[in-house]
Amino acid sequence: MKRIRVLLFLVLLAAVGALLWLAWREDAAMPASPPPPVAIRPTNRIEFPVPPQPSAAESILDGYGDPASPPIEDLRKIHRVVTGYFSVVKDGSRHPIGGNPDLAAALRGDNPNREIFVREDHPIFGKDGSIIDRWGSAVVVHPEAYRQLALRSSGPDRSPYTADDLVLSPSGVQQPAR
């Protein structure tokens, strides 16, 4: 009986040894754990603001007030923008255009569609928010009929209704100053 106990003890000891050997072998066969991630410090990156894309109206106004172009071109550009405005804003009767402040507000988004045609910081607008000509004078916007606006620049003397005025009819044709 004692011999059987010794034999069982040896078998048990061999089994424990075999298990320990297998456990050690599995640990050795496992790949090493990946290195801990390296902390990346934020750099002092300079992020430049992305300039907004110009609207279609702003593209039309590109070069507004350029001394290399004839001054009447500024009024023609405004006329094209106004034509586009009336083709987009169908129900302008809720916000009728009665003059320069109304037109300026409508182009900045105060219109039934709430669409911004020209951003507030565009050079077409003066400090008071009105549409200005290349000499800094407010453009005279005269409604002649629904959706028909005559435009007048005061010209270099900056006085409206003088001989150097530039006048554009609602049809876009230049008229003599009166």
Side-chain angles (χ1 to χ4, degrees):
M1 189 70 169
K2 191 174 182 181
R3 202 171 198 186
I4 293 177
R5 283 186 183 169
V6 170
L7 187 61
L8 281 175
F9 176 75
L10 288 176
V11 168
L12 183 64
L13 188 60
V16 169
L19 288 175
L20 287 175
W21 181 76
L22 285 174
W24 173 78
R25 219 182 129 143
E26 284 182 14
D27 285 346
M30 290 185 64
S33 61
V38 177
I40 299 174
R41 292 181 157 186
T43 60
N44 292 334
R45 265 182 53 190
I46 299 172
E47 293 188 23
F48 296 99
V50 176
Q53 294 292 324
S55 66
E58 291 170 337
S59 295
I60 291 171
L61 292 170
D62 191 35
Y64 184 82
D66 184 359
S69 65
I72 193 67
E73 284 303 312
D74 295 344
L75 292 183
R76 289 187 176 125
K77 290 177 181 188
I78 295 172
H79 180 266
R80 284 186 219 118
V81 169
V82 169
T83 301
Y85 170 82
F86 283 127
S87 69
V88 171
V89 178
K90 301 293 184 193
D91 187 16
S93 62
R94 290 189 292 162
H95 293 265
I97 305 297
N100 188 328
D102 294 338
L103 179 59
L107 294 179
R108 286 193 300 263
D110 188 13
N111 57 63
N113 295 9
R114 298 288 176 216
E115 183 169 339
I116 297 172
F117 290 84
V118 182
R119 284 185 294 256
E120 209 168 311
D121 60 345
H122 194 276
I124 192 174
F125 298 119
K127 291 178 182 174
D128 65 349
S130 63
I131 298 171
I132 58 172
D133 62 14
R134 64 175 56 196
W135 295 281
S137 300
V139 171
V140 177
V141 177
H142 181 73
E144 292 191 0
Y146 179 65
R147 297 180 177 217
Q148 294 187 358
L149 305 176
L151 303 171
R152 176 183 293 263
S153 166
S154 298
D157 71 355
R158 300 182 180 178
S159 295
Y161 303 100
T162 59
D164 71 340
D165 286 6
L166 302 167
V167 181
L168 204 62
S169 73
S171 63
V173 176
Q174 184 176 3
Q175 295 182 331
R178 290 187 234 155

